Amino acid sequence: MPKLKSITADAGSRLKTISGINEKHNPSEIELKWQKRWEEAKIYSPNLDKAQKPFYNLMMFPYPSAEGMHVGNMYAFTGADVYGRFQRMQGKAVFEPIGLDGFGIHSENYAIKANKHPVEQARTSEKNFYRQLKSIGNGFDWTRTVETYKPEYYKWTQWLFIQLFKAGLAYRKKAPVNFCPSCKTVLADEQVEDGLCERCNSIAEKRDLDQWFFKITKYADRLLAGLSQIDWAEKVKTAQKQWIGKSEGVNLRFKIKDMDIHFEMFDSVPQTFMAQTFTVIAPEHKMVYELVKGTEHEKPVMEFIKTIKKKKSINKFDLEKKPEGIFTGRYLEYTPTGKSIPIWVASYAIYGYGTGVVNCSAHDERDFIFAKRYGISLHPVMFPKDPVEAKKVKNLEYCYHHAEDGILQEPVEFKGRKWEEVRGDIVHYIEKQGYGKAQAQYHLRDWLISRQRYWGPPIPMIYCQTCSWQPVQEKDLPVKLPFIEDYKPLGTGQAPLASHPEFYKTKCPKCKGDAKRETDVSDTFLDSAWYFLRYVSTDIETMAFDTERVKKWLPVNMYVGGAEHSVLHLLYSRFITMCLHDLGLISFEEPFTKFRAHGLIVKDGAKMSKSKGNIVVPDAYIKKFGADSLRCYLMFTGPFDMGGNFRDSGIEGMSRFLKRVWALVHRKKDSMNNKSGSKKSLLGSNEALVFMNKTIKKVTGDIGNLKYNTAIAGLMEYYNFLSSQKYIAIEEFRVLLKLLAPLAPHIAEELWEYIGEKFSIHQQFLPDFNESILKASYLTIAIQINGKLRGVLTVTSQFSKDKDRVEQLAKESDKIKKYLKAKEIKKIIYIEGKVINFVVT
RNA sequence: GCCCAGGUGGCGGAAUGGUAUACGCGGUAGUCUCAAAAACUACUAGUCGCAAGGCUGUGUGGGUUCGACUCCCUCCCUGGGCACCA
């Protein structure tokens, strides 16, 4: 410990150099110094093979496309880092990696806009992003970064594709898919929001194209069931649940009159199956043509389908409120009622859901409207209890549906029973009668994985005339993405690589004959669906990931990221993890044990966006105020999962706070007791002891619950208390700095050194609080008259235990006497240590 | 339409059945200074009052309770998710 020149207590205003340390807080100087020192000492690079108590602290890696990292990214990373540092200071070996999700449409679109080749753009972005990421003071392990666009990474993305193909989970099919005319590629369902491309907001068209899919639907039930096993933000779980969209019901099966064809139709409300009076089929359904072929209906029906398809192709269709339809001339032999019911083509039937054929009745809003519009007969079988209402339903005045206490009339076996309670029995009945079978339907579709773009891993498949699709042999991986000048998307349904025979001309891996490579690349979300496995294995070239390390470090202990990935990245990652589990490559099914979604940072109340030009880049703030100030400010704006509002004046306030802490430590250090210990003890007064313990409890509790805003408020209160004290004990400084360390790592480290402690504060244990000290402190008890606050009492906690004495003391206070005068006390309620309430007349 | 968050001073927010507005920002006054900035000190929900003190107050209206920002019901608003899903 350096010798100190003694300074007087009010020396805060006089700047002096003490033993070479400038008394004024200079953030950029100390931040660079400690960042360098931390990296040299490798305090954030745990030994992945030997670490005890491993803790994998992950945050979603950024797309490094745009102008650079903005404060929104920094907010997420800082919040995640505070948690990681908190775990490290509880003795965990924290692994906190970072990388770049640099492949994909997002980055490529940016490169096109900036008129740079994506390869070149990636190089620039990487440099810029890593520089920024280093400046924010996170405890990243810089020895293990991952960039999805590097061959050593995407080699394994391709390998993963091949594993899925071999397991029968990757397949090709022609299907109506979403196509973005601006990005000139197909998109997955998850990447279309309200009919618009999530990247560029163009209207997504429907096109019939031959594409690669991953069979995520096979995992629908497990993806759903797994949600109850993991500790995730509830809103994300709900979003996934809704996206998977499981709906249970029955599949009914009936013959078409005069044809040797049976139709199956899904019904999620089987209770009213006796009400079916017509059937509708989706316009895209292949069977429609079979129904009308050679009949008088063929021409009008096919015309109708053409019109509807046109409307659907521009996705304008959902704007149409009125359902449209046309009669096919065919009937279904509906055995339950013994009637032949007409089959219509209807615009509102969805080809991709259920069987594309719907059984229709008076008890469904859309069916009801459709039937009324086209004069199709309806036959209600369920009625309200109220006879007046029941008559209205009978007269088809309105559609009666989903009524919990609706009374069934048919079938006779269930007459008089309630809709709500009869469901299970009806399903059983339908099965017994042989009308159909219980079944579930899902909203989830298979994951469309191919993209007709350049900037991604080429899909490692080869097409051979004789042997059909063959995977590239693993020894030939990676299929390198060649550098081509004409990388821009074509919009023809073909990827840019399709213009490069030197790329696609190859030999079939099986028969060695002439063959053609797949020229599409895979979706970016495949790159990011497994990166958390690669982080622990970046030094390994022979495997996608090291099984032993994965066993040691995964599943991820804490994952922090944006809720916008609820049904994208977070669902895909779970799916890929389950696939790898089933392939016997890993032992767990869920990749992220705990996930928390961070909130959004807005600027002066408005969402940050490029078009508004209000994106805040952290660099200038870090330069001016330091990363510590910006970190604390961002964390202080609100609860971490709610986000906050970025205001310049706010960060100035935080900067002031850190300066005050700095000044306090420097100013009061001469009054501290040093470790050798004078008689004044290592601790301060009793009051100080209580305050310290209270602060430890509050701050550690809040950080653990990601309530950083109140943790900082607690630290400020502690500062305010300490600065009012004449003497501050060394332990009080130690506690202050340790609690500050996760939030403001640089200044805490600097001051830690200044008070003579050993490097590094980030390898210390957080202090424990002593509950018995808290219990022994003074309490303030509120005195109420009829629930209104009329005074307070300050007593020891011992005293507070005695109701009679508290009551006596309260009654004796002058203020209370006044209120109790000439009143009859009816009741006295005493809540120990908190409140005493006199209920009077 | 269904589901999930949320609505508290001039502003960000705190308090999840027991002293509403912690902490910070902003503001006002003061100290220091030739002056300014910085820093520091005090005050800062509204309202009535010289004051002591009183009254009102957590989106709306009601309820439960000795006591409600907190629990229950009604409605309104904001943000997010799902949506011709049969």
Side-chain angles (χ1 to χ4, degrees), chain A residues 133-164:
Chain A
L133 283 166
K134 283 190 177 177
S135 73
I136 65 173
N138 270 29
F140 289 134
D141 183 348
W142 284 107
T143 64
R144 295 185 176 276
T145 57
V146 153
E147 298 86 23
T148 53
Y149 48 87
K150 301 244 165 106
E152 58 268 30
Y153 182 81
Y154 71 71
K155 172 183 180 178
W156 299 112
T157 309
Q158 292 172 333
W159 171 86
L160 185 62
F161 187 101
I162 292 170
Q163 305 314 306
L164 264 68

Side-chain angles (χ1 to χ4, degrees), chain A residues 10 112 127-128 188 231 235 290 325 330 358 450 497 562 579 609 626 663 680 726 770 772 790 801 820 840:
Chain A
D10 63 341
I112 292 170
K127 217 176 135 196
N128 190 34
D231 175 15
K235 64 175 170 180
E290 297 293 318
R330 294 288 180 181
V358 187
S450 27
L497 287 177
C579 294
S609 73
K680 273 183 191 162
K726 203 166 177 190
N770 186 334
S772 60
R790 297 299 179 192
K801 287 190 170 67
L820 294 178
V840 300

Side-chain angles (χ1 to χ4, degrees), chain A residues 293-316:
Chain A
K293 193 168 62 180
T295 72
E296 52 180 307
H297 295 278
E298 178 176 342
K299 214 179 148 202
V301 168
M302 296 321 280
E303 280 294 313
F304 172 80
I305 288 171
K306 231 172 151 182
T307 329
I308 296 293
K309 271 193 174 173
K310 210 170 187 178
K311 282 190 187 176
K312 283 199 177 178
S313 79
I314 49 170
N315 248 320
K316 282 262 160 86

Side-chain angles (χ1 to χ4, degrees), chain A residues 1-12 14-21 23 665-672 754:
Chain A
M1 185 160 132
K3 247 190 171 172
L4 296 170
K5 216 192 277 175
S6 179
I7 49 173
T8 51
D10 63 341
R14 277 178 285 146
L15 301 181
K16 278 189 184 163
T17 300
I18 307 166
S19 304
I21 298 167
E23 198 182 339
V665 175
H666 284 78
R667 195 167 71 232
K668 297 275 183 153
K669 195 178 167 213
D670 62 317
S671 73
M672 305 184 306
Y754 178 68

